[in-house]
Every structure is written in C-alpha cells, then in structure tokens.
Amino acid sequence: MNVVTERIIQLGMLVFILGGWQLGVTAGLIDVFFFPAPLDIFNQIVSWIVDPGFYKHVTITLTETVLGYIIGTGLGVAAGVWLGLSRSAARILDPFIKGLNAIPRVVLAPIFVLWLGLGLWSKVALAVTLVFFITFFNAMQGVREVNPVVLANAKILGAKRSDLLRHVYFPAAASWILSSLRTSVGFAVVGAIIGEYLGSSAGLGYLIAQAEGNFDAVGVFAGIIILAMFVLIIDRILDVLEGRLIKWRPNAAEERAA
C-alpha cells in the first residue's frame, strides 16, 4: 500500500467520522449540549482566527509551552546523561528521584502559583515538571544502552571523555531522547493549559475555561482542536529534526526495499 492510498484512506475515515457526527446532530440523535455539530465548531475556529485579539491568547500559550518544553528537555537530558554515566550518583539519588516522580504534577500547580504568581513562569514551571522526567529517564536509559564493545574500542583509540560524549554516548542515546521529545510535546501543552485553568487572564486555557464556565461546548471543542493542531505541528517539526539528526537510521522506504 503506497503513501497516496494511505492518505486517501485517512481522509475517508475523517470524512466518515465528521459526516456521521454532523448527520447525527441534524437528525437529533446526538445532543448538541454535549457534542456540538462539527460545522458549529468549525465556524467558532474561523471566528477566532479572523479576530486579531485571538493571537494574543495563542502567543501566550505557545510561549509557555515552548519555554517549558525547552527548559524541561534541557534539564532532563543533562540530568539523564549525568546519572547514566555516574552509577554511584544514580544509586544515591534514586529514592529522591522516584519520590519526586511519584508526586502528581497537578498538585504542584497551586504551589507554583504561590511561588511565582499568576504570570507566565508558574505555567512554565508546571510544564517543565511534566517534560523533565520523561526526557530524563529516556536519556539515562539511552546512555546506559551504549554498546560496551564500541565504548571499549573508542577508549583504545584514545578518545577523551568529551569525545566519548560527542561520538558515542549522544549518538547512542539520540533515538531514546528524540522519542521522549515526541512524547513530551503533549505534556508541555498540558502543563501550560492546566496553569491557565488555575488562574490567568489570557491564553487558550483561559478561553476554554471561559467556554466551560458558560456551558459552551462549541468553544471547548474548538479550543481542544486548536491545541491538537499545535501538537501536530510541533510533532511534524520533530519528524524533520529526527531525520536530520539520525541519518544513519534507514527510512521506511529503505526498510521495505530490504
């Protein structure tokens, strides 16, 4: 099955789901209070897009998401590589790491609001906590999965610690790290949105909370779809990044040819 056929099937499934949903609403089989018509949701999205004030909300949520994502990923990779290389430090810190990871992230949101206020950084901090542990555990495991034969050969050839990090550890952990980057995108968005739910005057989470408070299911669904589009766009960017950073891995076409 080629790519064009797969895309046609995907498009057909989307048309079938949305068409059935719209017909169900028109026939009165679906309660619009809980599941508004797709056309109403589409019209709400269009009305937001043509409104210049909407982009203020988009910018705020996107800024919170990107900052939380970048900071959480940076800290997670650094800590994961460090503890992956230092087994003794990992054993010492293991109970503390497990204890922190066991804390539900949602309960931290009010604490961050107390510490950092209702502004940007309380949302960023929550997003960081959601992203950090995903990246951390993957980076640590990726470093530990380095082939010992490759590592020994590099040392025999006189590779220094910095050379080992650059040419052995990071390439070996790249698949693990990029996999965590893909997973943590959604969590960064979740952190920003939860923070906006708790207290904010702008942002997509604020718009969704307002719609929810007014029992406006159309606004809630429209906000959810826009957030999903954000994640899909970022995921596509990661696809391109992954293809450039992991050039040694064969693509799907090459695997099928083999």
Side-chain angles (χ1 to χ4, degrees), residues 170-222:
F170 277 116
S175 294
W176 291 80
I177 294 172
L178 287 171
S179 174
S180 68
L181 294 182
R182 190 182 302 279
T183 305
S184 59
V185 168
F187 285 94
V189 176
V190 168
I193 296 302
I194 290 177
E196 290 173 355
Y197 256 93
L198 289 177
S200 65
S201 58
L204 293 177
Y206 169 76
L207 289 181
I208 296 174
Q210 267 197 328
E212 182 182 347
N214 294 326
F215 298 100
D216 178 15
V218 174
V220 173
F221 274 84

Side-chain angles (χ1 to χ4, degrees), residues 54-97:
F54 171 70
Y55 294 96
K56 173 188 175 184
H57 300 285
V58 173
T59 302
I60 289 174
T61 300
L62 189 59
T63 302
E64 294 164 353
T65 300
V66 171
L67 286 175
Y69 185 68
I70 292 174
I71 296 172
T73 298
L75 293 176
V77 170
V81 171
W82 171 49
L83 293 183
L85 295 175
S86 179
R87 298 298 180 100
S88 58
R91 286 192 296 270
I92 293 171
L93 296 177
D94 182 65
F96 302 100
I97 294 171

